[in-house]
Amino acid sequence: MRAELDQPEGHIVSETETIMSDTGRSSMLRARGLRKEYGKEAGLVRAVDAVDLDVAPGETVAVMGPSGCGKSTLLHLLGGLDRPSAGELHLAGQRIDQMGEKALARLRRDAIGFVFQAFHLMDELTAVENVELPALLAGNSTRAARRRAAGLLERVGLADRARFLPSALSGGQRQRVAIARALANEPLVVLADEPTGNLDSEATLEVLRLFESLHEAGQTLVIVTHDSRIAATADRLISMRDGALVDETRLAGGTTGHLSSLAGLDA
Amino acid sequence: MGRILLICRLAARDLRRRRAEAVLMLIVITAAAATLTLGLVLSGATSNPYLDTKAVTAGPDVVAQSAGAAKNGGPPASLTALENAPGAIGHSGPYPLASPSLRAGGHTVSTAAAGFTVEGRDQGRAPVDQPKVTQGSWVRPGGAVIMQTYAAELGVRPGDRITLNGRRFTVTGLAVTAAWPSVNAPGLIWLTTADARSLATAANPLTYALNLKLADPATATAFTNAHGTGNVYLSSWQQTSSQDAKAVQFEQEALVAGSWLLSMLAIASVAVLVGGRMAEQTRRVGLLKAVGGTPRLIAAVLLAEHLALALLAAAAGLAAGWLAAPLLTSPADGLIGAAGAPSLTAVTVGVVAAVALAVALFATFVPAIRAARTSTVAALADAARTPRRRAWLIAVSRRLPVPLLLGMRLAARRPRRLMLSAASITITVAMIVGVLTIWQLDHVSKVPGGLINPVHAGVNQVLLVITVVLTVLAAVNAIFVARATVADSRRPLAVARALGATQEQVSAGVSASQLLAALPGAILGIPAGIGLVAAVSRNGPVAILSAWELIAVLLGTLLVVSALTAVPARIGARRPVAEILQSEAA
């Protein structure tokens, strides 16, 4: 999958495109006319309405907007957790909106990492067992999966909590375990849905630092958030309303390295 | 009073809201209650038909049978002396008894099999023992009347031909008698006295039977004790009645044993159902608590619901068992009259109601206490009950293919449900193995003539009915356990799918989790079934099914369980991941 990143990809810009990456790089994620509808006729609801979006490799994109504007639905579509009603979706040049359920599962396993607001860790598994799960699902050897999980837990600063159950971890620690799990299979893209929504300020700072290090390491990130401090760490901020992308702000390479100066988050 | 009214109202509303589950619970407990009722009401159910038959046929109080004949070929003096014994006020006979070989209805019954006896009778009515002809007509030269039970075993009807010692006879009629046990004894064929005498051979000489009427029928057993000798065997009407009753007695014992198994299965089924319901109404418990419901009220509502269902099921079971009893006690083949619906005694009603209530109580107690103790905040948030962690299972599962990895971890989350599921399979497999063993015993113990013992046939019928009911209940149970597993594991399964597990892997994982319970359950069921037969067998050691038969039972069980759980597993695996993850809190 990673090899496809180096392949040049034609960047077709239609007249209707309003918000697109202008990085000039080939897209890691590319959506055209993406739409998700629920209900019929009078009861029709467009949760995602004709979204065009490009995310470049290594780019961090923050998606903001009021509750119910379709941010999470967009993220689920981008990650293959849900199917669009219309439109096209490409990941690393491969069209994924028409993939079968099995292929989508493989895609999620090998190329996408999810971080959820509610963590969604397995309650009965320890931190290290949670982190190694995607690798085991991918058929990796138990030894390799455990080694990778231990390394990731060390990377997120939880090596000493590897054998703790989620119930014995703080909210911030749980989210760091969830982030480590998202990285287990070296995904092309990490999609985070309100990753700090359930965290206090201190835990939010821990998670922000983690995303910062991921950003520095060149990990492609799409973060749905309500928190402007999280959004400020991105390369690009996209605003949504009523299912559509309505605004884009380029943040000059994000605020990487300036977390401590963010209001209220000084460690 | 107000609190009781509130409990009743809440219980009634919840039952109405979850009708399908309530109906299923009702069916499960009703099946157990009906089987238990049948077992209890069958006790002594044949005594009346025997007495009816004895009255209608002027049945003897004592039947005396000689071991041989006098030197002149006539009845021995020791037998004829009984005609004038103290207490005897009437008699018929002595009648000659012959033991020829028989060919009828495709069966050949040799004398050695002692499968039947021929009795020579006068064409006129006898003062004692007047067999009641139920079809055709009474004996005439060249004609044979067959005891009704035996005719059914042979498969012959009036007009058919039979061969006795190579001589052909026409079946002129079928009859019943109170002088001869209708089941569990050799069959009886009546010929004319001359025809019967003609069947005597040097190897099988004639013996004689004398029917006696006593002044006081109640003293028949004492009479047989006083006058029985080595040359004359006497049997009282009480012995004959008791032998007739054995058929129903065995059926009753099989039913009572089966009903206990059904009750155990019902406990497992109801526990799964209640557990599943509890998982679905955590929020309701939270709401009740939030508005001031005490833990006692919560437990009382849950108990009230299920105890009300149990009482209803007990009533339905009592009615069903009582109405079905005559079908099993029907004396159609051997006796006349009808057993009718045996009366329901207060003890029967009490035992059945107590068992039904106990089933509901046992199954509801743990979930009720758990609900009462749930934190209000957690219940309001509809937080999933924390699963159990089995570290060794998780460690072992890491090395397995994805479906088994998921299945083992799902199974490890709810060990109590796993045990209930395994217990349900154990009970069912035990019953299946028991029935197969009994069938095999029947096959082995079949008389050389190939006739089926009617008592065994009746018991087999009862066992078959119980096995079918058990299997259906176990099937329902398996589906509900799978459904409860899917409902309870929707979040971890959705997370697994978000992490890349395919729908097929997830549904195979759910099925695998059920098979992990079914496998030990089925393995345990095999010795349990053999033990069950050994425990109820009156003839010592029992035959054991062959290895391939036991393997077939094991594999068949696993196959059925995987087929039954496949549907809920697939439905669970198809739910949209995003929807589940968005609606479920951590």
Side-chain angles (χ1 to χ4, degrees):
Chain A
M1 203 72 181
R2 281 206 177 280
E4 294 171 33
L5 292 177
D6 304 327
Q7 295 170 4
E9 189 191 25
H11 189 83
I12 303 164
V13 181
S14 71
E15 288 180 4
T16 55
E17 281 178 339
T18 53
I19 296 170
M20 289 179 60
S21 169
D22 58 358
T23 58
R25 289 175 287 176
S26 58
S27 294
M28 174 65 76
L29 264 175
R30 181 174 162 204
R32 289 290 177 275
L34 205 61
R35 185 171 289 166
K36 181 67 182 176
E37 294 169 346
Y38 297 102
K40 282 178 182 173
E41 295 168 2
L44 183 78
V45 175
R46 285 202 175 129
V48 172
D49 191 5
V51 165
D52 294 337
L53 175 69
D54 283 87
V55 180
E59 189 183 19
T60 296
V61 174
V63 182
M64 290 189 78
S67 293
C69 71
K71 305 186 296 291
S72 293
T73 307
L74 174 64
L75 203 75
H76 293 152
L77 293 177
L78 295 179
L81 278 182
D82 210 348
R83 286 176 179 282
S85 307
E88 284 184 21
L89 189 59
H90 298 257
L91 175 68
Q94 191 178 0
R95 187 162 179 182
I96 65 171
D97 58 277
Q98 293 177 328
M99 277 184 173
E101 192 54 46
K102 196 177 276 185
L104 274 179
R106 281 200 208 103
L107 182 88
R108 290 196 295 266
R109 191 180 67 197
D110 300 332
I112 295 168
F114 283 101
V115 178
F116 301 100
Q117 178 180 359
F119 322 130
H120 288 316
L121 298 176
M122 304 280 193
D123 301 319
E124 71 276 23
L125 301 185
T126 60
V128 72
E129 286 166 349
N130 266 293
V131 176
E132 73 178 1
L133 186 58
L136 292 176
L137 290 175
N140 293 346
S141 75
T142 51
R143 190 175 297 214
R146 180 58 60 94
R147 201 183 314 122
R148 169 91 179 135
L152 285 167
L153 280 176
E154 197 169 343
R155 186 171 165 191
V156 299
L158 289 174
D160 57 338
R161 297 283 189 274
R163 302 203 176 276
F164 281 45
L165 286 172
S167 56
L169 299 174
S170 69
Q173 288 170 334
R174 283 186 217 183
Q175 195 59 295
R176 280 148 68 194
V177 172
I179 292 169
R181 182 181 65 182
L183 299 171
N185 287 340
E186 300 182 57
L188 298 177
V189 185
V190 170
L191 304 172
D193 189 1
E194 300 278 8
T196 57
N198 279 351
L199 305 180
D200 58 21
S201 293
E202 195 179 336
T204 299
L205 184 59
E206 289 171 3
V207 171
L208 275 173
R209 284 189 175 135
L210 208 49
F211 280 126
E212 179 188 20
S213 70
L214 289 179
H215 184 40
E216 282 172 353
Q219 177 69 56
T220 309
L221 281 164
V222 178
I223 307 171
V224 161
T225 184
H226 269 115
D227 192 333
S228 55
R229 295 166 301 184
I230 292 266
T233 67
D235 294 311
R236 198 149 49 102
L237 170 63
I238 287 169
S239 298
M240 277 187 83
R241 191 181 302 151
D242 299 329
L245 304 189
V246 292
D247 194 18
E248 177 193 23
T249 309
R250 181 148 295 282
L251 298 172
T255 54
T256 304
H258 306 290
L259 280 175
S260 57
S261 66
L262 289 171
L265 287 179
D266 288 326
Chain B
M1 191 63 191
R3 181 167 294 185
I4 292 172
L5 202 66
L6 176 68
I7 290 170
C8 292
R9 186 181 297 164
L10 288 170
R13 291 271 162 84
D14 193 46
L15 285 176
R16 223 180 304 165
R17 211 155 54 96
R18 297 166 201 279
R19 280 180 200 167
E21 286 160 16
V23 167
L24 268 167
M25 203 179 290
L26 201 64
I27 291 170
V28 168
I29 304 178
T30 300
T35 319
L36 184 59
T37 305
L38 261 177
L40 294 175
V41 300
L42 280 181
S43 174
T46 53
S47 56
N48 289 340
Y50 177 79
L51 291 176
D52 289 347
T53 307
K54 187 169 180 281
V56 168
T57 61
D61 296 321
V62 171
V63 175
Q65 206 175 318
S66 70
K71 282 183 181 169
N72 63 359
S78 54
L79 185 70
T80 51
L82 291 172
E83 295 169 7
N84 302 313
I89 56 168
H91 74 275
S92 66
Y95 297 117
L97 300 176
S99 300
S101 61
L102 164 72
R103 194 171 164 71
H107 297 281
T108 302
V109 184
S110 70
T111 312
F116 74 103
T117 297
V118 167
E119 187 178 50
R121 297 294 296 254
D122 303 324
Q123 285 177 260
R125 284 169 71 87
V128 180
D129 185 27
Q130 304 158 355
K132 167 85 175 168
V133 177
T134 53
Q135 283 184 55
S137 58
W138 187 231
V139 293
R140 56 179 163 78
V145 173
I146 303 181
M147 195 165 78
Q148 196 160 282
T149 321
Y150 198 51
E153 289 176 54
L154 290 170
V156 295
R157 292 177 300 182
D160 290 349
R161 294 293 183 92
I162 61 170
T163 306
L164 294 166
N165 273 2
R167 211 180 131 192
R168 298 186 81 180
F169 290 85
T170 303
V171 178
T172 58
L174 308 181
V176 296
T177 177
W180 201 261
S182 61
V183 291
N184 221 23
L188 189 61
I189 297 175
W190 293 280
L191 303 177
T192 61
T193 308
D195 284 341
R197 284 184 188 285
S198 73
L199 296 174
T201 62
N204 291 302
L206 292 177
T207 59
Y208 287 88
L210 176 70
N211 300 313
L212 293 169
K213 199 81 186 166
L214 301 184
D216 181 4
T219 61
T221 303
F223 186 92
T224 59
N225 293 338
H227 296 92
T229 65
N231 294 327
V232 177
Y233 171 74
L234 289 91
S235 61
S236 66
W237 70 268
Q238 290 99 329
Q239 284 174 298
T240 311
S241 170
S242 150
Q243 204 152 335
D244 270 336
K246 269 183 186 164
V248 174
Q249 188 191 333
F250 287 152
E251 286 172 2
Q252 184 219 353
E253 286 171 1
L255 278 165
V256 171
S259 67
W260 287 118
L261 288 177
L262 269 170
S263 299
M264 285 192 274
L265 190 61
I267 290 176
S269 303
V270 175
V272 170
L273 281 169
V274 173
R277 293 184 76 173
M278 277 312 302
E280 287 171 11
Q281 56 183 350
T282 315
R283 195 171 146 72
R284 183 169 177 264
V285 167
L287 285 171
L288 279 175
K289 284 188 160 184
V291 296
T294 60
R296 192 178 292 178
L297 178 93
I298 305 299
V301 170
L302 206 62
L303 283 171
E305 273 183 57
H306 299 137
L307 293 183
L309 278 178
L311 275 179
L312 201 62
L318 277 164
W322 180 58
L323 292 172
L327 299 176
L328 286 172
T329 59
S330 166
D333 288 342
L335 300 169
I336 59 171
S343 55
L344 277 177
T345 63
V347 173
T348 304
V349 173
V351 168
V352 172
V355 168
L357 287 174
V359 165
L361 197 65
F362 272 126
T364 314
F365 189 72
V366 173
I369 296 297
R370 191 183 291 143
R373 292 164 75 174
T374 306
S375 130
T376 309
V377 176
L380 273 174
D382 203 7
R385 195 157 51 87
T386 313
R388 296 282 180 91
R389 173 179 165 77
R390 293 281 181 274
W392 66 272
L393 267 176
I394 289 166
V396 168
S397 67
R398 292 175 70 234
R399 301 175 187 283
L400 299 173
V402 173
L404 278 176
L405 177 147
L406 294 173
M408 199 172 261
R409 290 181 178 189
L410 283 177
R413 284 166 60 88
R414 299 281 179 248
R416 187 167 157 262
R417 186 183 296 150
L418 192 78
M419 281 194 289
L420 288 172
S421 181
S424 152
I425 300 289
T426 300
I427 292 166
T428 312
V429 170
M431 196 66 196
I432 290 170
V433 169
V435 169
L436 290 177
T437 306
I438 288 171
W439 282 350
Q440 194 181 55
L441 280 175
D442 276 354
H443 182 70
V444 170
S445 64
K446 206 175 261 184
V447 293
L451 299 181
I452 297 164
N453 185 332
V455 173
H456 288 188
V459 173
N460 285 349
Q461 212 173 353
V462 169
L463 288 175
L464 186 66
V465 169
I466 293 174
T467 308
V468 168
V469 174
L470 271 170
T471 309
V472 170
L473 283 189
V476 171
N477 211 12
I479 294 169
F480 266 82
V481 169
R483 196 169 154 256
T485 304
V486 167
D488 185 55
S489 313
R490 54 188 184 268
R491 188 174 71 87
L493 289 178
V495 173
R497 284 174 61 198
L499 297 178
T502 62
Q503 281 183 358
E504 288 77 14
Q505 285 173 330
V506 166
S507 64
V510 174
S511 287
S513 71
Q514 308 309 301
L515 288 176
L516 285 171
L519 182 64
I523 290 172
L524 281 176
I526 289 172
I530 295 167
L532 190 70
V533 177
V536 297
S537 169
R538 287 142 196 266
N539 303 318
V542 297
I544 295 178
L545 297 176
S546 65
W548 71 264
E549 285 172 316
L550 293 175
I551 290 170
V553 169
L554 195 68
L555 293 180
T557 305
L558 297 182
L559 201 68
V560 169
V561 169
S562 55
L564 287 170
T565 55
V567 175
R570 282 187 76 83
I571 292 171
R574 277 168 184 258
R575 283 190 62 190
V577 177
E579 187 186 301
I580 298 169
L581 293 181
Q582 271 190 312
S583 63
E584 297 274 331

